[in-house]
Structure formats: C-alpha cells, structure tokens
Amino acid sequence: MEREIITICESGRVNIPSGDVWMSEAELVELFGVVAPTLRAAIRAIYKSGVLNPATAQRCAVVIPASWATFYNLEAVVALAFRLDTNEAGKVREKVLGCVCRQKESHISLFLSLDGGTVTTMS
C-alpha cells in the first residue's frame, strides 16, 4: 500500500504531503502526542457521532508477514486534530486551517454587450 504520513519537524513545522495520506495508530500517537487508549477513544467518538464512517476512513493492511495494522485516511487525521486537545493537534489544526483559508484571489473577467454590438470588458 503506497501511503504518505503527516509529520511535525523539530522546529514545529507541520508537513502535510500531497500524496495519499494513510497513517497507522502508532504514527498517529506520535503525531498527536497522546497515548494509544486516548487515540482509540477519540476515533470511537468520531465514528459514534457519525462524522466519519469506518468503512471509508480506515483500512487494514499487512505491515509485515502475519501482522496486520489499521490505517486511517486524511479525513480521519483531520477529524482527530479537531477532537484531541494537545499542542501537536493544535499545530495540525493551524496548518489545515491555513491551507483552507489560503485561497488565491481569482481574476474574473466579465464581457458585456452594450448597444447591440459594443463589447465592454470589466475586471
């Protein structure tokens, strides 16, 4: 399974790759700075609330022969960032909101026909 993971470097910068994000429980524990039971409780709460469906938000894959792991997609990671109350989760929230809010202004041109043949351009 080809996958990418979200990381926080030592300087505190969050790196969200453009590839297919799928993270294991161990990777999420490290990313958010929580213990596994806290992470599992947050995942259960997200599923119970109906925000995400486990059928689409997680998948199981073989990590080493005879060993399975559950991986969570980007939607689940973002939901966890808003569910958990840690410094690391706050950094991920900031990065996600920064990406959402950082929309470039688009240039829109309008072409109006006035007086039956004159074309006026407005930008």
Side-chain angles (χ1 to χ4, degrees):
M1 171 170 107
E2 299 269 336
R3 64 188 185 90
E4 302 278 342
I5 65 169
I6 297 172
T7 57
I8 301 175
C9 66
E10 289 183 18
S11 66
R13 195 172 128 261
V14 176
N15 177 38
I16 300 177
S18 60
D20 206 11
V21 173
W22 287 90
M23 297 182 69
S24 70
E25 181 180 290
E27 292 163 342
L28 291 170
V29 163
E30 183 177 340
L31 176 67
F32 292 122
V34 295
V35 294
T38 301
L39 180 76
R40 288 186 206 118
I43 292 168
R44 278 193 308 273
I46 290 167
Y47 290 158
K48 185 176 179 180
S49 70
V51 172
L52 292 177
N53 182 345
T56 57
Q58 72 183 41
R59 73 166 70 147
C60 292
V62 176
V63 287
I64 56 173
S67 177
W68 289 83
T70 302
F71 295 91
Y72 300 91
N73 68 7
L74 180 60
E75 280 184 292
V77 176
V78 171
L80 286 165
F82 283 90
R83 179 81 189 182
L84 297 168
D85 186 22
T86 64
N87 185 41
E88 294 86 346
K91 289 177 183 181
V92 174
R93 284 192 301 270
E94 281 180 28
K95 177 69 173 189
V96 168
L97 290 173
C99 291
V100 169
C101 295
R102 186 185 59 219
Q103 297 177 356
K104 295 181 181 178
E105 291 183 23
S106 59
H107 184 73
I108 300 173
S109 297
L110 296 173
F111 297 99
L112 303 174
S113 177
L114 303 174
D115 294 338
T118 307
V119 176
T120 304
T121 303
M122 301 174 71
S123 296

